[in-house]
Amino acid sequence: MIKGIAITTVWVLDQDRAKDFYTNKLGMEVRTDMTMGGDEGMRWLTVGAKYQPDVEITLMVPGPPGLDPQSAEAVKELVAKGALGAGVLSTDDIHRDYEAFKAKGVEFLQEPQERPYGTEAILRDDSGNWFSLTQRNERMDMDKAWGECVDPM
């Protein structure tokens, strides 16, 4: 029986740059950084939030063995274009984290805005992927206006 998600992949254009972004700008920790299959093998690089030790993000450059060359190039183009949303990062203080991340040079597509489910800002990683940074409400307020939607493209 499935118990939950343990590892998910975020496609990146450069693993060293991504490692720096996710650890030094977003404050995540490296969980694994190794090459599988010798010096020319695949680099397995995972990071995760310090307070969530059972979930990891694989920072993977599109290519073999998972993708053929044509598919890898298509994914790289989508990532660089900013067409891929990678998920939701949760916080207990969105305004604190928004200001701290901005001070570290993180690009935001949307400042914190009130939503029915909480307060949300949209950020972009160094490869082009966008994330929702969200501080959730205790309960969803269906009477609250959604406001302007931001097209991350």
Side-chain angles (χ1 to χ4, degrees):
M1 177 175 280
I2 295 174
K3 294 183 178 182
I5 294 175
I7 301 174
T8 190
T9 299
V10 172
W11 298 110
V12 299
L13 303 178
D14 179 289
Q15 285 177 304
D16 289 325
R17 259 192 12 232
K19 179 180 177 181
D20 180 67
F21 179 87
Y22 283 85
T23 58
N24 293 323
K25 292 191 177 182
L26 298 186
M28 294 186 182
E29 61 187 14
V30 174
R31 301 282 173 76
T32 308
D33 190 354
M34 62 182 278
T35 302
M36 300 190 309
D39 291 339
E40 299 300 317
M42 180 185 78
R43 183 176 179 191
W44 183 252
L45 172 61
T46 68
V47 297
K50 294 175 183 172
Y51 302 106
Q52 195 175 24
D54 55 337
V55 177
E56 297 178 63
I57 299 171
T58 303
L59 302 174
M60 185 71 64
V61 174
L67 297 173
D68 62 79
Q70 187 176 18
S71 297
E73 285 308 310
V75 171
K76 287 177 185 177
E77 285 181 32
L78 289 171
V79 170
K81 185 178 180 181
L84 301 180
V88 177
L89 303 173
S90 64
T91 178
D92 61 353
D93 188 335
I94 192 165
H95 296 287
R96 173 200 65 210
D97 290 344
Y98 171 77
E99 292 300 330
F101 293 160
K102 265 186 74 172
K104 292 180 179 182
V106 174
E107 176 189 1
F108 279 86
L109 304 174
Q110 172 192 292
E111 296 179 357
Q113 294 185 6
E114 295 298 318
R115 303 283 188 230
Y117 48 84
T119 308
E120 174 188 56
I122 306 292
L123 65 89
R124 190 182 304 261
D125 75 5
D126 68 302
S127 291
N129 299 297
W130 59 271
F131 287 87
S132 166
L133 176 66
T134 300
Q135 180 179 347
R136 296 203 49 177
N137 287 340
E138 298 254 341
R139 65 177 194 75
M140 190 174 290
D141 183 356
M142 295 306 292
D143 294 326
K144 189 173 283 184
W146 281 82
E148 297 287 321
C149 290
V150 172
D151 180 1
M153 305 277 293

